[in-house]
Structures are given as structure tokens and as C-alpha cells.
Amino acid sequence: MANKFKTDNGRIKAAVIIGAAGMLMIMLSELIPENNDESQDKDITIIKSDENDDFRKQTERELKKLLEQIDGVGKCVVMISLESSTEYIYAENISRSSDVNADRRNEKTDEEIVITECNGERKPLVRKIIDPQIGGVVIVCEGGGDISINERVQKTVSTALNISSTRVCVEAGCR
């Protein structure tokens, strides 16, 4: 059997078999899930699209209610597009240490997300929630054809949502 591997043909076959076995092992390792707590703690940032939808719909309702109070606007339809999603900033324990040896200084920083346990469920401690950023607003209203009403609607939306008036489009409609 050792004589088979001495030939070029035998070496090529052995290399192909070893390579195929290595690739098979790599593919199988991707299918087996990791089961350690550390990897779960790092993958904590889970954003539910429902939250973004709820934020958008609630903002649309409030804006519609506000705009319909402006004299001359009449009935309107409001559509908001989001530029980003909800962002969570988690509380972290940060520990720094430094070690000074003769001519070298080593600094080490460890960051760890604070995990709380409530009713047997482990969750990250949220320090701050940043609402989604609004990308643009479209308003279709009865008074949208009037230039002065159009400007007032743009100014109101721009001020209420703290966005540029160039991101607000007002059109006539809803008859």
C-alpha cells in the first residue's frame, strides 16, 4: 500500500481525498450550533420589526391628528418612511488594568454587557433606547393645493419631527 502513494497518481488521489474530507468537516461544523453562554450574550441585539412598525404607525396617527387641526388642511393621509430602526444601548461593566514591566506597559480592557435575571429569564440591562430615524414624510390633504397651506403643513411636520422640510412632501387630494 505504501508503494501506491509513492507514485504521482497515488499522491494526487490522497490529496484529493484528504481535501474532500477537510471540506466535509468544515461544512458539518457550520451545521452544529454553538452552545455556550458567551456567544449568546454577544448576540443580544435583537430588534423586532413590530416595534419599528408600531413607532411608525403611532407617529403617523399623531401627525394626522395634528395636521387636521390646522385651518384649511382638511382630511389628510400621512405616510412616514423610516431611515433606521430602533437602537438599544446596553449597560456595560468595563474593567481596565495596566501592567508595567521594565520598559513595556500593557493595558487590558474588558467590556461585558450587564445581564439581569427576572422570573428565571436572563435579559440585558437596557441603558437607553433610541427611536428610529425618520427618512421622509408624505402628506396628501384636501388643502395641499394651496401654497400657503402647503408651506404651513411642511413647517409643522418639519418642526414636529425635527427633520428638514426637504424631507416633507405635501400634495393635494382626499376629496
Side-chain angles (χ1 to χ4, degrees):
M1 185 165 180
N3 289 336
K4 282 186 179 179
F5 291 114
K6 288 183 180 178
T7 66
D8 286 338
N9 218 11
R11 288 182 192 164
I12 292 172
K13 285 180 184 177
V16 168
I17 291 171
I18 292 171
M23 290 172 57
L24 182 62
M25 289 173 64
I26 291 171
M27 289 188 326
L28 288 175
S29 71
E30 293 293 320
L31 296 176
I32 300 171
E34 288 185 33
N35 194 19
N36 64 22
D37 289 340
E38 207 171 279
S39 70
Q40 289 175 351
D41 288 350
K42 289 181 181 177
D43 296 334
I44 291 174
T45 309
I46 299 171
I47 297 175
K48 299 176 184 172
S49 63
D50 290 347
E51 289 179 21
N52 295 327
D53 255 4
D54 291 345
F55 171 81
R56 183 182 52 77
K57 288 176 183 176
Q58 178 65 27
T59 306
E60 286 175 349
R61 280 191 298 271
E62 290 174 6
L63 196 56
K64 177 182 182 334
K65 188 176 176 182
L66 175 70
L67 292 174
E68 287 179 344
Q69 299 302 310
I70 298 173
D71 189 37
V73 172
K75 291 183 181 183
C76 66
V77 176
V78 177
M79 184 183 122
I80 294 176
S81 64
L82 299 179
E83 196 169 90
S84 65
S85 59
T86 305
E87 183 179 343
Y88 296 92
I89 299 179
Y90 299 106
E92 293 180 304
N93 284 330
I94 300 173
S95 60
R96 292 188 174 100
S97 61
S98 60
D99 185 24
V100 180
N101 291 334
D103 61 338
R104 285 189 276 179
R105 180 179 176 168
N106 295 326
E107 292 190 23
K108 183 180 176 185
T109 303
D110 289 327
E111 296 178 18
E112 182 180 320
I113 293 177
V114 177
I115 304 293
T116 59
E117 192 166 330
C118 182
N119 299 329
E121 193 175 342
R122 292 171 45 119
K123 292 184 177 182
L125 180 61
V126 178
R127 187 169 56 95
K128 185 177 183 181
I129 299 174
I130 301 172
D131 285 331
Q133 295 294 310
I134 295 174
V137 181
V138 176
I139 295 118
V140 179
C141 60
E142 292 176 345
D146 184 333
I147 293 174
S148 67
I149 292 173
N150 192 312
E151 283 182 25
R152 288 184 8 226
V153 168
Q154 274 190 328
K155 185 176 178 183
T156 301
V157 172
S158 176
T159 303
L161 300 178
N162 195 27
I163 61 173
S164 167
S165 61
T166 60
R167 292 180 173 221
V168 179
C169 175
V170 181
E171 293 294 330
C174 288
R175 293 177 196 218

PDB file of all heavy atoms in Angstrom, residues 85-112:
ATOM      1  N   SER A  85     -33.630  51.763  12.277  1.00  0.00           N
ATOM      2  CA  SER A  85     -34.506  51.052  13.197  1.00  0.00           C
ATOM      3  C   SER A  85     -34.179  51.425  14.636  1.00  0.00           C
ATOM      4  O   SER A  85     -33.233  52.169  14.895  1.00  0.00           O
ATOM      5  CB  SER A  85     -34.358  49.541  12.984  1.00  0.00           C
ATOM      6  OG  SER A  85     -33.014  49.164  13.195  1.00  0.00           O
ATOM      7  N   THR A  86     -34.972  50.895  15.554  1.00  0.00           N
ATOM      8  CA  THR A  86     -34.758  51.155  16.967  1.00  0.00           C
ATOM      9  C   THR A  86     -33.376  50.660  17.369  1.00  0.00           C
ATOM     10  O   THR A  86     -32.956  49.576  16.959  1.00  0.00           O
ATOM     11  CB  THR A  86     -35.827  50.424  17.814  1.00  0.00           C
ATOM     12  OG1 THR A  86     -37.115  50.821  17.350  1.00  0.00           O
ATOM     13  CG2 THR A  86     -35.684  50.750  19.286  1.00  0.00           C
ATOM     14  N   GLU A  87     -32.684  51.455  18.163  1.00  0.00           N
ATOM     15  CA  GLU A  87     -31.336  51.084  18.605  1.00  0.00           C
ATOM     16  C   GLU A  87     -31.320  50.999  20.127  1.00  0.00           C
ATOM     17  O   GLU A  87     -31.839  51.878  20.812  1.00  0.00           O
ATOM     18  CB  GLU A  87     -30.322  52.135  18.135  1.00  0.00           C
ATOM     19  CG  GLU A  87     -28.907  51.808  18.468  1.00  0.00           C
ATOM     20  CD  GLU A  87     -27.930  52.859  17.965  1.00  0.00           C
ATOM     21  OE1 GLU A  87     -28.298  53.669  17.099  1.00  0.00           O
ATOM     22  OE2 GLU A  87     -26.802  52.871  18.456  1.00  0.00           O
ATOM     23  N   TYR A  88     -30.758  49.926  20.625  1.00  0.00           N
ATOM     24  CA  TYR A  88     -30.657  49.729  22.065  1.00  0.00           C
ATOM     25  C   TYR A  88     -29.205  49.901  22.498  1.00  0.00           C
ATOM     26  O   TYR A  88     -28.303  49.363  21.869  1.00  0.00           O
ATOM     27  CB  TYR A  88     -31.117  48.324  22.456  1.00  0.00           C
ATOM     28  CG  TYR A  88     -32.571  48.085  22.171  1.00  0.00           C
ATOM     29  CD1 TYR A  88     -32.992  47.530  20.969  1.00  0.00           C
ATOM     30  CD2 TYR A  88     -33.539  48.433  23.096  1.00  0.00           C
ATOM     31  CE1 TYR A  88     -34.328  47.323  20.708  1.00  0.00           C
ATOM     32  CE2 TYR A  88     -34.884  48.236  22.844  1.00  0.00           C
ATOM     33  CZ  TYR A  88     -35.270  47.670  21.646  1.00  0.00           C
ATOM     34  OH  TYR A  88     -36.593  47.473  21.380  1.00  0.00           O
ATOM     35  N   ILE A  89     -29.017  50.643  23.576  1.00  0.00           N
ATOM     36  CA  ILE A  89     -27.686  50.786  24.153  1.00  0.00           C
ATOM     37  C   ILE A  89     -27.740  50.098  25.509  1.00  0.00           C
ATOM     38  O   ILE A  89     -28.546  50.468  26.369  1.00  0.00           O
ATOM     39  CB  ILE A  89     -27.280  52.264  24.273  1.00  0.00           C
ATOM     40  CG1 ILE A  89     -27.251  52.871  22.875  1.00  0.00           C
ATOM     41  CG2 ILE A  89     -25.938  52.397  24.983  1.00  0.00           C
ATOM     42  CD1 ILE A  89     -26.883  54.316  22.812  1.00  0.00           C
ATOM     43  N   TYR A  90     -26.901  49.096  25.673  1.00  0.00           N
ATOM     44  CA  TYR A  90     -26.927  48.282  26.872  1.00  0.00           C
ATOM     45  C   TYR A  90     -25.911  48.760  27.896  1.00  0.00           C
ATOM     46  O   TYR A  90     -24.858  49.299  27.550  1.00  0.00           O
ATOM     47  CB  TYR A  90     -26.631  46.818  26.520  1.00  0.00           C
ATOM     48  CG  TYR A  90     -27.663  46.240  25.578  1.00  0.00           C
ATOM     49  CD1 TYR A  90     -27.373  46.027  24.232  1.00  0.00           C
ATOM     50  CD2 TYR A  90     -28.932  45.924  26.013  1.00  0.00           C
ATOM     51  CE1 TYR A  90     -28.323  45.510  23.367  1.00  0.00           C
ATOM     52  CE2 TYR A  90     -29.892  45.413  25.161  1.00  0.00           C
ATOM     53  CZ  TYR A  90     -29.574  45.203  23.842  1.00  0.00           C
ATOM     54  OH  TYR A  90     -30.527  44.696  22.995  1.00  0.00           O
ATOM     55  N   ALA A  91     -26.237  48.534  29.177  1.00  0.00           N
ATOM     56  CA  ALA A  91     -25.319  48.858  30.265  1.00  0.00           C
ATOM     57  C   ALA A  91     -24.155  47.868  30.205  1.00  0.00           C
ATOM     58  O   ALA A  91     -24.344  46.687  29.946  1.00  0.00           O
ATOM     59  CB  ALA A  91     -26.035  48.755  31.602  1.00  0.00           C
ATOM     60  N   GLU A  92     -22.948  48.388  30.423  1.00  0.00           N
ATOM     61  CA  GLU A  92     -21.755  47.545  30.357  1.00  0.00           C
ATOM     62  C   GLU A  92     -20.895  47.726  31.604  1.00  0.00           C
ATOM     63  O   GLU A  92     -20.826  48.816  32.158  1.00  0.00           O
ATOM     64  CB  GLU A  92     -20.891  47.913  29.152  1.00  0.00           C
ATOM     65  CG  GLU A  92     -21.510  47.626  27.818  1.00  0.00           C
ATOM     66  CD  GLU A  92     -20.604  48.018  26.669  1.00  0.00           C
ATOM     67  OE1 GLU A  92     -20.193  49.191  26.615  1.00  0.00           O
ATOM     68  OE2 GLU A  92     -20.299  47.139  25.861  1.00  0.00           O
ATOM     69  N   ASN A  93     -20.277  46.635  32.001  1.00  0.00           N
ATOM     70  CA  ASN A  93     -19.228  46.699  33.014  1.00  0.00           C
ATOM     71  C   ASN A  93     -17.912  46.772  32.265  1.00  0.00           C
ATOM     72  O   ASN A  93     -17.609  45.899  31.458  1.00  0.00           O
ATOM     73  CB  ASN A  93     -19.225  45.448  33.905  1.00  0.00           C
ATOM     74  CG  ASN A  93     -20.340  45.463  34.911  1.00  0.00           C
ATOM     75  OD1 ASN A  93     -20.767  46.517  35.347  1.00  0.00           O
ATOM     76  ND2 ASN A  93     -20.805  44.281  35.282  1.00  0.00           N
ATOM     77  N   ILE A  94     -17.159  47.825  32.511  1.00  0.00           N
ATOM     78  CA  ILE A  94     -15.874  47.990  31.834  1.00  0.00           C
ATOM     79  C   ILE A  94     -14.798  47.959  32.897  1.00  0.00           C
ATOM     80  O   ILE A  94     -14.831  48.722  33.863  1.00  0.00           O
ATOM     81  CB  ILE A  94     -15.818  49.318  31.052  1.00  0.00           C
ATOM     82  CG1 ILE A  94     -16.924  49.349  29.996  1.00  0.00           C
ATOM     83  CG2 ILE A  94     -14.445  49.499  30.412  1.00  0.00           C
ATOM     84  CD1 ILE A  94     -17.071  50.672  29.280  1.00  0.00           C
ATOM     85  N   SER A  95     -13.854  47.055  32.712  1.00  0.00           N
ATOM     86  CA  SER A  95     -12.728  46.998  33.653  1.00  0.00           C
ATOM     87  C   SER A  95     -11.432  47.182  32.870  1.00  0.00           C
ATOM     88  O   SER A  95     -11.231  46.590  31.817  1.00  0.00           O
ATOM     89  CB  SER A  95     -12.725  45.675  34.413  1.00  0.00           C
ATOM     90  OG  SER A  95     -12.607  44.588  33.529  1.00  0.00           O
ATOM     91  N   ARG A  96     -10.592  48.044  33.405  1.00  0.00           N
ATOM     92  CA  ARG A  96      -9.306  48.335  32.771  1.00  0.00           C
ATOM     93  C   ARG A  96      -8.194  47.982  33.741  1.00  0.00           C
ATOM     94  O   ARG A  96      -8.289  48.257  34.939  1.00  0.00           O
ATOM     95  CB  ARG A  96      -9.219  49.805  32.400  1.00  0.00           C
ATOM     96  CG  ARG A  96     -10.167  50.208  31.299  1.00  0.00           C
ATOM     97  CD  ARG A  96      -9.907  51.645  30.831  1.00  0.00           C
ATOM     98  NE  ARG A  96     -10.730  51.953  29.696  1.00  0.00           N
ATOM     99  CZ  ARG A  96     -11.853  52.650  29.764  1.00  0.00           C
ATOM    100  NH1 ARG A  96     -12.264  53.134  30.913  1.00  0.00           N
ATOM    101  NH2 ARG A  96     -12.565  52.884  28.682  1.00  0.00           N
ATOM    102  N   SER A  97      -7.161  47.409  33.211  1.00  0.00           N
ATOM    103  CA  SER A  97      -5.995  47.115  34.042  1.00  0.00           C
ATOM    104  C   SER A  97      -4.746  47.400  33.232  1.00  0.00           C
ATOM    105  O   SER A  97      -4.733  47.286  32.007  1.00  0.00           O
ATOM    106  CB  SER A  97      -6.015  45.663  34.508  1.00  0.00           C
ATOM    107  OG  SER A  97      -5.976  44.787  33.402  1.00  0.00           O
ATOM    108  N   SER A  98      -3.707  47.783  33.927  1.00  0.00           N
ATOM    109  CA  SER A  98      -2.440  48.024  33.234  1.00  0.00           C
ATOM    110  C   SER A  98      -1.325  47.366  34.033  1.00  0.00           C
ATOM    111  O   SER A  98      -1.364  47.284  35.261  1.00  0.00           O
ATOM    112  CB  SER A  98      -2.177  49.521  33.064  1.00  0.00           C
ATOM    113  OG  SER A  98      -2.123  50.148  34.314  1.00  0.00           O
ATOM    114  N   ASP A  99      -0.345  46.904  33.316  1.00  0.00           N
ATOM    115  CA  ASP A  99       0.793  46.213  33.902  1.00  0.00           C
ATOM    116  C   ASP A  99       2.059  46.860  33.350  1.00  0.00           C
ATOM    117  O   ASP A  99       2.228  46.946  32.138  1.00  0.00           O
ATOM    118  CB  ASP A  99       0.718  44.727  33.528  1.00  0.00           C
ATOM    119  CG  ASP A  99       1.796  43.905  34.205  1.00  0.00           C
ATOM    120  OD1 ASP A  99       2.291  44.346  35.257  1.00  0.00           O
ATOM    121  OD2 ASP A  99       2.123  42.824  33.672  1.00  0.00           O
ATOM    122  N   VAL A 100       2.900  47.325  34.243  1.00  0.00           N
ATOM    123  CA  VAL A 100       4.133  47.980  33.808  1.00  0.00           C
ATOM    124  C   VAL A 100       5.306  47.056  34.108  1.00  0.00           C
ATOM    125  O   VAL A 100       5.564  46.711  35.256  1.00  0.00           O
ATOM    126  CB  VAL A 100       4.320  49.336  34.525  1.00  0.00           C
ATOM    127  CG1 VAL A 100       5.601  49.998  34.075  1.00  0.00           C
ATOM    128  CG2 VAL A 100       3.123  50.230  34.266  1.00  0.00           C
ATOM    129  N   ASN A 101       5.968  46.652  33.059  1.00  0.00           N
ATOM    130  CA  ASN A 101       7.188  45.852  33.176  1.00  0.00           C
ATOM    131  C   ASN A 101       8.342  46.680  32.643  1.00  0.00           C
ATOM    132  O   ASN A 101       8.194  47.387  31.666  1.00  0.00           O
ATOM    133  CB  ASN A 101       7.093  44.562  32.356  1.00  0.00           C
ATOM    134  CG  ASN A 101       6.088  43.592  32.921  1.00  0.00           C
ATOM    135  OD1 ASN A 101       5.809  43.628  34.115  1.00  0.00           O
ATOM    136  ND2 ASN A 101       5.544  42.735  32.077  1.00  0.00           N
ATOM    137  N   ALA A 102       9.459  46.596  33.255  1.00  0.00           N
ATOM    138  CA  ALA A 102      10.683  47.310  32.898  1.00  0.00           C
ATOM    139  C   ALA A 102      10.495  48.392  31.836  1.00  0.00           C
ATOM    140  O   ALA A 102      10.420  49.563  32.145  1.00  0.00           O
ATOM    141  CB  ALA A 102      11.755  46.322  32.488  1.00  0.00           C
ATOM    142  N   ASP A 103      10.425  48.027  30.572  1.00  0.00           N
ATOM    143  CA  ASP A 103      10.330  49.022  29.506  1.00  0.00           C
ATOM    144  C   ASP A 103       9.020  48.936  28.724  1.00  0.00           C
ATOM    145  O   ASP A 103       8.842  49.619  27.734  1.00  0.00           O
ATOM    146  CB  ASP A 103      11.520  48.889  28.551  1.00  0.00           C
ATOM    147  CG  ASP A 103      11.573  47.528  27.886  1.00  0.00           C
ATOM    148  OD1 ASP A 103      10.977  46.580  28.436  1.00  0.00           O
ATOM    149  OD2 ASP A 103      12.211  47.416  26.826  1.00  0.00           O
ATOM    150  N   ARG A 104       8.085  48.093  29.167  1.00  0.00           N
ATOM    151  CA  ARG A 104       6.814  47.938  28.458  1.00  0.00           C
ATOM    152  C   ARG A 104       5.646  48.179  29.391  1.00  0.00           C
ATOM    153  O   ARG A 104       5.708  47.904  30.583  1.00  0.00           O
ATOM    154  CB  ARG A 104       6.670  46.524  27.890  1.00  0.00           C
ATOM    155  CG  ARG A 104       7.505  46.291  26.681  1.00  0.00           C
ATOM    156  CD  ARG A 104       7.138  44.983  26.081  1.00  0.00           C
ATOM    157  NE  ARG A 104       7.886  43.921  26.774  1.00  0.00           N
ATOM    158  CZ  ARG A 104       7.796  42.647  26.508  1.00  0.00           C
ATOM    159  NH1 ARG A 104       6.974  42.237  25.593  1.00  0.00           N
ATOM    160  NH2 ARG A 104       8.500  41.771  27.155  1.00  0.00           N
ATOM    161  N   ARG A 105       4.574  48.664  28.786  1.00  0.00           N
ATOM    162  CA  ARG A 105       3.338  48.877  29.535  1.00  0.00           C
ATOM    163  C   ARG A 105       2.212  48.168  28.790  1.00  0.00           C
ATOM    164  O   ARG A 105       1.957  48.448  27.613  1.00  0.00           O
ATOM    165  CB  ARG A 105       3.044  50.371  29.646  1.00  0.00           C
ATOM    166  CG  ARG A 105       1.791  50.665  30.408  1.00  0.00           C
ATOM    167  CD  ARG A 105       1.569  52.145  30.518  1.00  0.00           C
ATOM    168  NE  ARG A 105       0.294  52.359  31.187  1.00  0.00           N
ATOM    169  CZ  ARG A 105      -0.115  53.509  31.642  1.00  0.00           C
ATOM    170  NH1 ARG A 105       0.652  54.567  31.502  1.00  0.00           N
ATOM    171  NH2 ARG A 105      -1.267  53.631  32.229  1.00  0.00           N
ATOM    172  N   ASN A 106       1.532  47.272  29.459  1.00  0.00           N
ATOM    173  CA  ASN A 106       0.430  46.524  28.859  1.00  0.00           C
ATOM    174  C   ASN A 106      -0.878  46.999  29.470  1.00  0.00           C
ATOM    175  O   ASN A 106      -1.014  47.049  30.688  1.00  0.00           O
ATOM    176  CB  ASN A 106       0.583  45.021  29.118  1.00  0.00           C
ATOM    177  CG  ASN A 106       1.797  44.444  28.440  1.00  0.00           C
ATOM    178  OD1 ASN A 106       2.170  44.885  27.370  1.00  0.00           O
ATOM    179  ND2 ASN A 106       2.413  43.460  29.069  1.00  0.00           N
ATOM    180  N   GLU A 107      -1.824  47.358  28.614  1.00  0.00           N
ATOM    181  CA  GLU A 107      -3.142  47.775  29.080  1.00  0.00           C
ATOM    182  C   GLU A 107      -4.178  46.798  28.551  1.00  0.00           C
ATOM    183  O   GLU A 107      -4.126  46.391  27.397  1.00  0.00           O
ATOM    184  CB  GLU A 107      -3.458  49.194  28.618  1.00  0.00           C
ATOM    185  CG  GLU A 107      -2.593  50.228  29.284  1.00  0.00           C
ATOM    186  CD  GLU A 107      -3.051  51.646  29.017  1.00  0.00           C
ATOM    187  OE1 GLU A 107      -4.244  51.832  28.704  1.00  0.00           O
ATOM    188  OE2 GLU A 107      -2.225  52.544  29.132  1.00  0.00           O
ATOM    189  N   LYS A 108      -5.117  46.447  29.417  1.00  0.00           N
ATOM    190  CA  LYS A 108      -6.154  45.491  29.058  1.00  0.00           C
ATOM    191  C   LYS A 108      -7.511  46.079  29.425  1.00  0.00           C
ATOM    192  O   LYS A 108      -7.694  46.600  30.519  1.00  0.00           O
ATOM    193  CB  LYS A 108      -5.929  44.183  29.810  1.00  0.00           C
ATOM    194  CG  LYS A 108      -6.908  43.099  29.459  1.00  0.00           C
ATOM    195  CD  LYS A 108      -6.619  41.841  30.247  1.00  0.00           C
ATOM    196  CE  LYS A 108      -7.677  40.795  29.948  1.00  0.00           C
ATOM    197  NZ  LYS A 108      -7.503  39.597  30.771  1.00  0.00           N
ATOM    198  N   THR A 109      -8.471  46.001  28.494  1.00  0.00           N
ATOM    199  CA  THR A 109      -9.830  46.484  28.730  1.00  0.00           C
ATOM    200  C   THR A 109     -10.797  45.344  28.472  1.00  0.00           C
ATOM    201  O   THR A 109     -10.763  44.719  27.420  1.00  0.00           O
ATOM    202  CB  THR A 109     -10.163  47.662  27.784  1.00  0.00           C
ATOM    203  OG1 THR A 109      -9.197  48.686  27.971  1.00  0.00           O
ATOM    204  CG2 THR A 109     -11.541  48.203  28.052  1.00  0.00           C
ATOM    205  N   ASP A 110     -11.646  45.080  29.461  1.00  0.00           N
ATOM    206  CA  ASP A 110     -12.687  44.061  29.318  1.00  0.00           C
ATOM    207  C   ASP A 110     -14.045  44.751  29.377  1.00  0.00           C
ATOM    208  O   ASP A 110     -14.307  45.520  30.296  1.00  0.00           O
ATOM    209  CB  ASP A 110     -12.603  43.032  30.448  1.00  0.00           C
ATOM    210  CG  ASP A 110     -11.392  42.119  30.315  1.00  0.00           C
ATOM    211  OD1 ASP A 110     -11.005  41.824  29.170  1.00  0.00           O
ATOM    212  OD2 ASP A 110     -10.845  41.699  31.355  1.00  0.00           O
ATOM    213  N   GLU A 111     -14.888  44.456  28.389  1.00  0.00           N
ATOM    214  CA  GLU A 111     -16.246  45.001  28.360  1.00  0.00           C
ATOM    215  C   GLU A 111     -17.220  43.835  28.427  1.00  0.00           C
ATOM    216  O   GLU A 111     -17.083  42.870  27.702  1.00  0.00           O
ATOM    217  CB  GLU A 111     -16.484  45.798  27.084  1.00  0.00           C
ATOM    218  CG  GLU A 111     -15.610  47.016  26.969  1.00  0.00           C
ATOM    219  CD  GLU A 111     -15.830  47.775  25.677  1.00  0.00           C
ATOM    220  OE1 GLU A 111     -16.869  47.572  25.037  1.00  0.00           O
ATOM    221  OE2 GLU A 111     -14.941  48.561  25.327  1.00  0.00           O
ATOM    222  N   GLU A 112     -18.201  43.963  29.311  1.00  0.00           N
ATOM    223  CA  GLU A 112     -19.173  42.900  29.495  1.00  0.00           C
ATOM    224  C   GLU A 112     -20.556  43.525  29.657  1.00  0.00           C
ATOM    225  O   GLU A 112     -20.744  44.437  30.456  1.00  0.00           O
ATOM    226  CB  GLU A 112     -18.810  42.108  30.753  1.00  0.00           C
ATOM    227  CG  GLU A 112     -19.701  40.947  31.037  1.00  0.00           C
ATOM    228  CD  GLU A 112     -19.260  40.226  32.308  1.00  0.00           C
ATOM    229  OE1 GLU A 112     -18.058  40.062  32.529  1.00  0.00           O
ATOM    230  OE2 GLU A 112     -20.152  39.867  33.080  1.00  0.00           O
TER     231      GLU A 112
END
